[in-house]
Amino acid sequence: MSEYHAPLRDMQFVLNELGYLDQVRELPGCNQLDAELVEAILGEAGKFAHGVLSPLNTQGDREGARWCDGEVSTVKGWREAYQRFIDGGWNALSCNPEFDGQGLPRVVSALVEEMWNGANLSFGLCPMLTRGAIEAIELRGSAYLKQTYLAKMISGEWTGTMNLTEPQAGSDLAAVRTRAEPVGDGTYRIKGQKIFITYGEHDLTENIVHLVLARTPDAPAGVKGISLFVVPKFLVHSDGSLGARNDVRCASIEHKLGIHASPTAVLAFGDHEGALGWLVGEENRGLEYMFIMMNAARFSVGVEGVGLSERAYQRARAYAHERIQGSEIGAVERSNVAIIRHPDVRRMLLSMKSRTEAMRALACAVAAAMDCAERHLDPAVRQESQALVDLMIPVVKGWSTENAVDIASLGIQIHGGMGFIEETGAAQHLRDARITTLYEGTTGIQAADLIGRKIARDGGKAIGQLSKQIYRVMEELAWTDDPQLQANASALARALVALNASVEFIVSHFATQPARVAAGAVPFLELLGIVAGGWQMARSALVAHRQLKAGSDDQDFYRGKLLTARFYADQLLAQVESLSRVVVQGADAVLQMDDQQF
Amino acid sequence: MSEYHAPLRDMQFVLNELGYLDQVRELPGCNQLDAELVEAILGEAGKFAHGVLSPLNTQGDREGARWCDGEVSTVKGWREAYQRFIDGGWNALSCNPEFDGQGLPRVVSALVEEMWNGANLSFGLCPMLTRGAIEAIELRGSAYLKQTYLAKMISGEWTGTMNLTEPQAGSDLAAVRTRAEPVGDGTYRIKGQKIFITYGEHDLTENIVHLVLARTPDAPAGVKGISLFVVPKFLVHSDGSLGARNDVRCASIEHKLGIHASPTAVLAFGDHEGALGWLVGEENRGLEYMFIMMNAARFSVGVEGVGLSERAYQRARAYAHERIQGSEIGAVERSNVAIIRHPDVRRMLLSMKSRTEAMRALACAVAAAMDCAERHLDPAVRQESQALVDLMIPVVKGWSTENAVDIASLGIQIHGGMGFIEETGAAQHLRDARITTLYEGTTGIQAADLIGRKIARDGGKAIGQLSKQIYRVMEELAWTDDPQLQANASALARALVALNASVEFIVSHFATQPARVAAGAVPFLELLGIVAGGWQMARSALVAHRQLKAGSDDQDFYRGKLLTARFYADQLLAQVESLSRVVVQGADAVLQMDDQQF
């Protein structure tokens, strides 16, 4: 069984050579983060991912989390791994130092997260959800909530969850029905059912802190009447010790296509007296607070896509090197070769590799912007960075996860018939990846957010800025003396024209023909993902070109990078014009079909 | 649990209105096949698929076939269903009437097969493999083999298998090692291990007839030294009764991503004295015979893709009609609607529907050509039809199955988070579909066959003929008075230009730069599939246009057909130019990467 290896060389390339570490090192609290320290952190994380999390991944898939009488047992080995995880301080990596977090910038912690996801997505989900809950309490919780929960959640002693979905309220949270009755002493009694709660119940820690959307009695209808509550599994005494069991119960866990080891709980709040809950922030502003967590979680799910893609690529690459089958095309004498010699296998591997590297670099670009948006001293830079973050989160989420599904499927394809056999391991990656385009907002929801709130609302300003940035990189490529890079520049230039045409269509039609624009929202998200990935691959090609000119002795890496960028330009950027045509002209039939004609 | 419904209206449209039934009714033995008789057959098959096979599909997935001590138990209910299947005469539908088959043309039996696959792929595989074995014995078997096996296999009393793969011999059958030692009395002793044998062992029938590739002692190396043998599970006395157990044993069955109810066997031949086998045809021509079966099987796997796509579409459509979530975009007042009102859901449904209908019509076009190639009185028509069949089998196989994987995945996506829950049923379709791009030759193998044997070898003649046929349909569209159809014509015309450019590249470079052409083989297969599907959608649009002009009262169907064709032109044909660019210009990086740079 081949285990996951953290792609340290490429991660270092993105941080150090694409300049994202330098970008955040200017920020307050980050000046001690030199390349060596980051390399040490990534190296240790890589060891943990490889040695502890990856070996549990297959077993987690086969055994799965188990429900019995309201209790959930995680897979054998999970508790020990979790203990080592929090003992190592990994849970606190990006958290606030004020509460014993390590305060690492997002651009570094995102790469560490990529490792957890690549090695064992079912495991990685637990700290990911905890982090979201931490952020909500930290940003909007009362002093009592912060003092009671933050330190234990940051250390990982307790975990956190996000309780949004109900059977009738999935993408549409306006339909949330869970009720919260004020007790009179500032607390509330919560009653209702929540579904799809990741790690909603488990045996890893002695307490679980649920963040729950619910309605107070006089709340307005719809999204403006939803409040956010902290509902712990066990009540907490003022000295921090655990008190009575709260009235929240795990009614069952789901039987899913993938991420079997991650328990997905149905939670029943208030079967008896009502679960005690504490309001976060103000009443009726719960959705706003939830979206703080949600945006962070969406970015993290995008990073899941990167990690799973890397994992699927590593497995397929190893198989392609090992598996001997057939002779080389055009060879004069028949001799059996490893299948990596077959052009179609190479095409599939390059498709996996080039997209994975583009997604990784793009996620880091956005993570660095998150850091700048949070910490930069210049408010103008903060604002500009936040605009990029807002624009690109749906793309990082939607594009990286759609890619991950396709890349995991290609990973199976490279294995031939063996790919369909569960013991091979390739199939699990597809089953696991398949959730990522669904949770934390489907790709359709990301795309609707992208065209509406992120592009039409500011009249295309933020995306115009991005487009200019990409244009400058394209010019740099075009000015090199290398015909290959010039060809990349042409592909990127054509792609930019197609992007700009799509944006113009969206901005000019969103108000008057919103359904027509919405019909092309997902193709547009894919288009923007490909162009933004192309921007990062173009930057990578420029760096590789300079390194090779300067006589770097890491020839294989940089030549591979150049060719990967070339492939991306030839085969990914080539799709952009078709996508643009679909965005601009593809909606007629979508809008004209009557429901009964389907 | 919603069950599969045979899409009878669209099947009748393809047979009667696209003219494929008329095409085969001219053939000897087919003149009694009027539309009513065919409608009755399809109606009965549809009932069987809906009422018997579909209800077993979920249970088959959950329970799976089970191995114990060399015996395999099929899922509860499977034996009864199989008995009803053969009692109903369904096994013999397309078989030779000389051996009590019903001699139905392929164009009809393919649609019936689509139903078995749509309702329950794991079940449908058993008769599919039996039919392949029947064809090999019928075409190349001795009188003894025909007399001993054919009637019982055609009735379904015994089943058949295809034994090609060995651990070291997957796509590359030259590596087959199983040995066949002549006994001296005309029989052989077979020794070796075969893997991935669909229904290689089961409890549905009292005998199983294995068709096995093996090498005789003095056989030349490579593909020219492979012979084909009949190896029954139980030997057969001259009176047809069963004799001793042959020396073939099921060592295990595979634990797979999907098609759980279809046992995939590891078969050990000759652990003791050697399994008795009978040569089919001449020694060393086994691969040639196997390819007769293989081509038929490849077509059938393409039809599996159609059936699974239809199934996934039906389930997603039903959910989209039922699930209430969110309000309609652009609506003045907020009111919750079924998700089929959301443009992105409609886009996904139309993508599923349009490709499924295009694949079905294309499969029938090829099936009708198979019938003409076999039965037409004019040798010139036979030859021309065979050329189309040879050209299009890799496309029907490769394109329909790649689509099926994507369509099943879209089916999950339409269900949102519910799609990831196994009980919903959508996930099984993806897991089942995932095998279809792998077995009977991966998509890469289909594409290699397409560019090499089917296009380069005849200098592009057969595809040139097809291209002309499509051109004529495009002209018909352009000559209508309908701007929508004229727009479809433009899209098809552009697609034809892109197709022809790709073909020219393949034909002119295959001899001198085979690796460069091979790097674009799969994108080219996709391109050709889209254009060929567009040909069928264009024909469909013409028929629908005429019907609407003539005042047909089936307005919804024909308007739906027109809009489906429009969507196909706007969103599928739109991809062809990008694919052509990839075929012609996309290979540089694929060829230049060193193995260690991956």
Side-chain angles (χ1 to χ4, degrees):
Chain A
M1 182 65 58
S2 74
E3 300 297 350
Y4 168 81
H5 287 85
L8 293 171
R9 180 66 185 90
D10 198 58
M11 289 178 167
Q12 284 156 14
F13 177 82
V14 171
L15 283 179
N16 301 327
E17 302 183 58
L18 293 185
Y20 294 120
L21 187 61
D22 278 347
Q23 190 180 334
V24 302
R25 281 184 64 204
E26 302 169 3
L27 302 175
C30 291
N31 55 353
Q32 296 191 328
L33 266 189
D34 57 26
E36 288 67 36
L37 176 60
V38 171
E39 191 175 333
I41 294 169
L42 294 180
E44 284 306 310
K47 280 183 204 162
F48 192 83
H50 170 80
V52 179
L53 299 185
S54 175
L56 288 173
N57 193 37
T58 306
Q59 188 177 340
D61 182 58
R62 286 192 201 151
E63 195 178 318
R66 287 176 198 191
W67 180 94
C68 180
D69 263 350
E71 306 286 320
V72 171
S73 322
T74 52
V75 171
K76 189 168 177 300
W78 232 247
R79 284 172 61 106
E80 294 71 17
Y82 185 78
Q83 195 58 49
R84 289 179 66 177
F85 183 82
I86 65 174
D87 287 349
W90 295 117
N91 201 61
L93 217 55
S94 64
C95 298
N96 192 338
E98 203 183 314
F99 298 91
D100 295 333
Q102 298 180 23
L104 272 191
R106 204 67 191 92
V107 74
V108 177
S109 67
L111 290 173
V112 174
E113 263 176 73
E114 186 200 315
M115 298 183 197
W116 310 151
N117 297 325
N120 190 330
L121 176 60
S122 284
F123 186 94
L125 284 171
C126 187
M128 192 272 266
L129 270 296
T130 301
R131 204 171 47 247
I134 289 168
E135 276 171 36
I137 295 174
E138 191 178 325
L139 288 169
R140 304 292 176 219
S142 63
Y144 165 75
L145 289 176
K146 288 185 193 177
Q147 196 187 329
T148 309
Y149 294 103
L150 278 186
K152 296 216 172 179
M153 292 173 76
I154 288 174
S155 71
E157 200 176 334
W158 298 347
T159 66
T161 69
M162 286 165 63
N163 287 244
L164 290 70
T165 306
E166 300 176 9
Q168 79 293 344
S171 297
D172 179 18
L173 290 170
V176 158
R177 289 187 197 143
T178 294
R179 284 164 302 131
E181 300 267 351
V183 174
D185 62 354
T187 63
Y188 294 76
R189 291 284 177 186
I190 314 287
K191 297 194 179 197
Q193 191 194 49
K194 293 287 181 181
I195 63 171
F196 295 168
I197 310 308
T198 300
Y199 278 92
E201 180 56 59
H202 61 76
D203 58 2
L204 298 178
T205 57
E206 57 180 4
N207 206 5
I208 302 173
V209 183
H210 303 297
L211 278 119
V212 183
L213 290 185
R215 294 183 181 284
T216 53
D218 306 322
V223 292
K224 290 179 179 164
I226 297 175
S227 304
L228 181 64
F229 298 88
V230 167
V231 183
K233 177 178 169 186
F234 285 95
L235 303 180
V236 183
H237 292 307
S238 55
D239 65 354
S241 64
L242 294 189
R245 184 77 159 78
N246 206 350
D247 185 14
V248 50
R249 192 177 50 82
C250 176
S252 62
I253 61 174
E254 306 290 353
H255 172 220
K256 308 187 298 293
L257 176 61
I259 51 167
H260 292 162
S262 163
T264 303
V266 175
L267 290 185
F269 291 89
D271 278 357
H272 304 289
E273 67 283 5
L276 263 184
W278 282 258
L279 184 67
V280 177
E282 297 171 31
E283 271 190 26
N284 299 331
R285 294 183 63 183
L287 209 70
E288 176 194 328
Y289 307 154
M290 194 55 97
F291 262 97
I292 300 172
M293 293 159 64
M294 185 69 104
N295 270 324
R298 286 178 174 176
F299 176 81
S300 289
V301 175
V303 172
E304 292 173 15
V306 184
L308 286 164
S309 298
E310 174 67 34
R311 182 72 186 100
Y313 172 62
Q314 288 184 11
R315 195 184 288 280
R317 178 182 59 190
Y319 188 78
H321 276 295
E322 284 161 20
R323 171 70 171 170
I324 307 293
Q325 194 76 178
S327 54
E328 194 154 345
I329 191 165
V332 181
E333 295 214 4
R334 186 185 164 83
S335 70
N336 294 331
V337 295
I339 62 170
I340 199 169
R341 298 301 311 153
H342 300 322
D344 185 53
V345 172
R346 301 167 80 75
R347 178 189 63 82
M348 290 190 276
L349 285 172
L350 266 169
S351 173
M352 298 169 84
K353 178 181 196 284
S354 65
R355 284 187 280 168
T356 303
E357 293 177 9
M359 291 189 285
R360 176 178 299 124
L362 181 63
C364 282
V366 174
M370 285 169 149
D371 291 320
C372 291
E374 194 188 319
R375 309 192 194 189
H376 204 284
L377 295 174
D378 180 347
V381 174
R382 285 206 302 275
Q383 194 178 3
E384 187 184 299
S385 301
Q386 190 62 47
L388 181 67
V389 170
D390 290 342
L391 174 68
M392 293 309 286
I393 276 185
V395 178
V396 168
K397 201 285 184 183
W399 183 60
S400 303
T401 58
E402 292 285 344
N403 273 333
V405 173
D406 186 61
I407 286 170
S409 192
L410 277 177
I412 292 179
Q413 193 67 21
I414 287 173
H415 286 80
M418 287 304 294
F420 198 66
I421 307 299
E422 285 286 4
E423 282 78 2
T424 304
Q428 184 190 345
H429 304 321
L430 175 60
R431 289 188 291 96
D432 286 352
R434 196 63 196 79
I435 187 60
T436 60
T437 66
L438 300 169
Y439 60 14
E440 311 297 351
T442 62
T443 308
I445 294 291
Q446 306 304 321
D449 180 49
L450 177 65
I451 58 164
R453 287 188 209 93
K454 308 304 172 61
I455 290 184
R457 186 177 284 174
D458 78 353
K461 190 166 158 245
I463 198 166
Q465 289 298 106
L466 174 63
S467 183
K468 275 185 207 144
Q469 266 190 277
I470 302 176
Y471 189 87
R472 283 194 291 271
V473 175
M474 186 276 291
E475 283 183 322
E476 257 193 275
L477 274 178
W479 288 333
T480 62
D481 53 4
D482 183 328
Q484 300 262 333
L485 293 192
Q486 287 163 359
N488 288 13
S490 303
L492 192 54
R494 279 200 310 270
L496 277 173
V497 170
L499 171 67
N500 294 340
S502 299
V503 169
E504 197 181 306
F505 171 78
I506 291 169
V507 170
S508 58
H509 291 78
F510 189 78
T512 53
Q513 299 186 57
R516 179 166 295 276
V517 177
V522 168
F524 176 74
L525 183 149
E526 189 184 352
L527 186 166
L528 179 53
I530 293 174
V531 177
W535 166 42
Q536 296 302 314
M537 291 312 275
R539 298 195 60 222
S540 302
L542 282 168
V543 170
H545 176 66
R546 281 196 290 268
Q547 288 283 5
L548 288 168
K549 270 198 133 172
S552 158
D553 51 12
D554 203 354
Q555 288 272 326
D556 269 345
F557 180 80
Y558 292 113
R559 272 194 43 83
K561 202 47 129 174
L562 272 185
L563 289 168
T564 304
R566 182 65 197 275
F567 179 92
Y568 191 96
D570 286 348
Q571 301 220 1
L572 277 300
L573 290 177
Q575 298 169 23
V576 167
E577 282 156 315
S578 293
L579 286 166
S580 178
R581 195 177 299 148
V582 167
V583 171
V584 176
Q585 300 170 4
D588 283 349
V590 176
L591 301 180
Q592 288 172 32
M593 282 284 280
D594 286 343
D595 295 357
Q596 74 275 12
Q597 287 166 354
F598 280 91
Chain B
M1 183 63 60
S2 74
E3 301 296 349
Y4 169 81
H5 288 84
L8 293 172
R9 180 68 186 87
D10 198 58
M11 288 179 167
Q12 283 156 16
F13 176 81
V14 171
L15 283 179
N16 302 326
E17 302 185 57
L18 294 185
Y20 294 120
L21 188 61
D22 278 348
Q23 191 180 334
V24 302
R25 280 183 64 205
E26 303 169 2
L27 303 174
C30 290
N31 53 353
Q32 297 191 325
L33 266 189
D34 57 26
E36 288 68 35
L37 176 60
V38 170
E39 193 176 331
I41 294 169
L42 294 180
E44 283 305 309
K47 282 184 203 161
F48 193 84
H50 170 79
V52 180
L53 299 185
S54 175
L56 288 173
N57 193 37
T58 306
Q59 187 177 340
D61 183 57
R62 285 191 201 150
E63 196 178 317
R66 287 176 198 190
W67 181 95
C68 179
D69 263 351
E71 306 286 320
V72 171
S73 320
T74 52
V75 170
K76 189 167 177 302
W78 231 246
R79 284 173 62 107
E80 294 72 18
Y82 185 77
Q83 195 59 48
R84 289 178 66 177
F85 183 81
I86 65 174
D87 287 350
W90 295 117
N91 201 61
L93 218 56
S94 65
C95 298
N96 193 338
E98 205 184 313
F99 297 93
D100 297 331
Q102 298 179 22
L104 273 191
R106 203 67 189 92
V107 74
V108 177
S109 67
L111 289 174
V112 174
E113 263 176 71
E114 187 200 315
M115 298 183 197
W116 310 151
N117 297 326
N120 190 330
L121 176 60
S122 284
F123 185 94
L125 285 171
C126 185
M128 192 272 266
L129 270 296
T130 301
R131 204 172 46 247
I134 288 168
E135 274 170 37
I137 294 175
E138 192 179 323
L139 288 169
R140 304 294 176 216
S142 63
Y144 165 77
L145 289 177
K146 287 185 192 175
Q147 198 187 327
T148 308
Y149 294 103
L150 279 187
K152 296 214 172 180
M153 292 172 75
I154 288 174
S155 71
E157 200 176 333
W158 298 346
T159 66
T161 70
M162 286 166 63
N163 285 245
L164 288 71
T165 307
E166 300 176 9
Q168 79 293 345
S171 297
D172 180 17
L173 291 171
V176 158
R177 288 186 195 145
T178 295
R179 284 164 301 131
E181 298 268 351
V183 175
D185 62 355
T187 63
Y188 294 75
R189 291 283 178 188
I190 314 287
K191 296 193 178 198
Q193 191 195 50
K194 293 288 180 179
I195 63 169
F196 295 167
I197 310 307
T198 300
Y199 279 91
E201 180 57 59
H202 61 76
D203 58 2
L204 299 178
T205 57
E206 58 180 3
N207 206 5
I208 302 172
V209 183
H210 302 297
L211 278 119
V212 184
L213 290 184
R215 295 182 180 283
T216 54
D218 305 325
V223 291
K224 290 178 180 164
I226 297 175
S227 305
L228 181 63
F229 298 88
V230 167
V231 184
K233 176 177 170 186
F234 285 96
L235 303 180
V236 183
H237 292 306
S238 54
D239 66 353
S241 64
L242 294 189
R245 183 76 158 79
N246 205 352
D247 185 14
V248 49
R249 192 177 51 83
C250 176
S252 63
I253 61 174
E254 306 290 353
H255 173 220
K256 308 187 298 293
L257 176 60
I259 53 169
H260 291 162
S262 163
T264 303
V266 175
L267 291 184
F269 291 89
D271 276 358
H272 303 289
E273 67 283 4
L276 263 184
W278 283 258
L279 183 67
V280 177
E282 296 171 31
E283 270 189 24
N284 299 331
R285 295 183 62 184
L287 209 70
E288 176 193 330
Y289 307 154
M290 195 54 99
F291 261 96
I292 299 171
M293 293 159 63
M294 185 70 105
N295 270 323
R298 286 178 174 178
F299 176 81
S300 289
V301 175
V303 172
E304 291 173 15
V306 184
L308 286 163
S309 297
E310 173 68 33
R311 183 71 186 99
Y313 172 62
Q314 289 184 11
R315 195 183 289 278
R317 179 182 58 189
Y319 188 79
H321 277 294
E322 284 161 20
R323 171 71 171 170
I324 307 294
Q325 194 76 180
S327 54
E328 195 154 346
I329 190 165
V332 181
E333 294 214 6
R334 185 184 165 84
S335 70
N336 293 330
V337 294
I339 61 171
I340 198 168
R341 298 300 313 154
H342 300 322
D344 186 53
V345 172
R346 302 168 79 75
R347 178 191 63 81
M348 290 191 275
L349 284 172
L350 266 169
S351 173
M352 299 169 83
K353 178 181 196 283
S354 66
R355 284 187 280 167
T356 303
E357 293 178 8
M359 291 189 283
R360 176 178 298 123
L362 182 63
C364 282
V366 174
M370 284 169 149
D371 291 319
C372 292
E374 195 187 319
R375 307 192 195 187
H376 204 284
L377 294 174
D378 180 348
V381 174
R382 285 205 302 277
Q383 196 179 1
E384 189 183 297
S385 302
Q386 189 62 47
L388 180 67
V389 171
D390 290 342
L391 174 68
M392 293 309 287
I393 276 185
V395 178
V396 168
K397 201 284 185 184
W399 184 60
S400 304
T401 59
E402 292 286 343
N403 273 332
V405 173
D406 186 61
I407 287 171
S409 192
L410 278 177
I412 292 178
Q413 192 68 22
I414 287 174
H415 286 81
M418 286 304 293
F420 198 65
I421 307 298
E422 285 287 3
E423 282 77 1
T424 304
Q428 184 190 345
H429 304 320
L430 175 61
R431 290 189 290 95
D432 286 352
R434 196 63 196 79
I435 187 60
T436 60
T437 66
L438 299 168
Y439 61 15
E440 311 296 353
T442 62
T443 308
I445 294 290
Q446 306 303 322
D449 179 49
L450 177 65
I451 58 164
R453 289 187 208 93
K454 308 303 172 57
I455 290 185
R457 186 179 284 175
D458 77 353
K461 192 165 155 245
I463 198 166
Q465 289 298 106
L466 174 64
S467 182
K468 276 184 206 144
Q469 268 190 276
I470 302 176
Y471 189 88
R472 283 193 293 269
V473 175
M474 185 276 290
E475 282 183 323
E476 258 192 275
L477 275 178
W479 289 332
T480 61
D481 52 5
D482 183 328
Q484 299 262 332
L485 293 192
Q486 287 163 359
N488 288 12
S490 304
L492 192 53
R494 278 201 310 270
L496 277 173
V497 170
L499 171 66
N500 294 339
S502 298
V503 169
E504 197 182 307
F505 171 78
I506 292 169
V507 169
S508 59
H509 291 78
F510 190 77
T512 52
Q513 299 187 58
R516 179 166 294 274
V517 178
V522 167
F524 176 74
L525 183 149
E526 189 184 352
L527 187 167
L528 179 53
I530 293 174
V531 176
W535 167 42
Q536 296 301 314
M537 291 312 275
R539 298 195 60 221
S540 303
L542 283 168
V543 170
H545 176 65
R546 280 196 291 267
Q547 288 281 4
L548 288 168
K549 270 197 133 172
S552 159
D553 53 11
D554 204 352
Q555 288 272 325
D556 269 345
F557 180 80
Y558 293 112
R559 272 195 43 83
K561 203 45 129 174
L562 273 184
L563 290 168
T564 305
R566 182 65 197 276
F567 179 91
Y568 192 96
D570 285 348
Q571 301 221 1
L572 277 300
L573 289 176
Q575 299 170 21
V576 167
E577 282 156 315
S578 293
L579 287 166
S580 179
R581 194 178 300 149
V582 168
V583 171
V584 175
Q585 299 170 4
D588 283 349
V590 176
L591 302 180
Q592 288 172 31
M593 284 282 282
D594 286 343
D595 295 357
Q596 74 275 12
Q597 287 166 352
F598 279 92

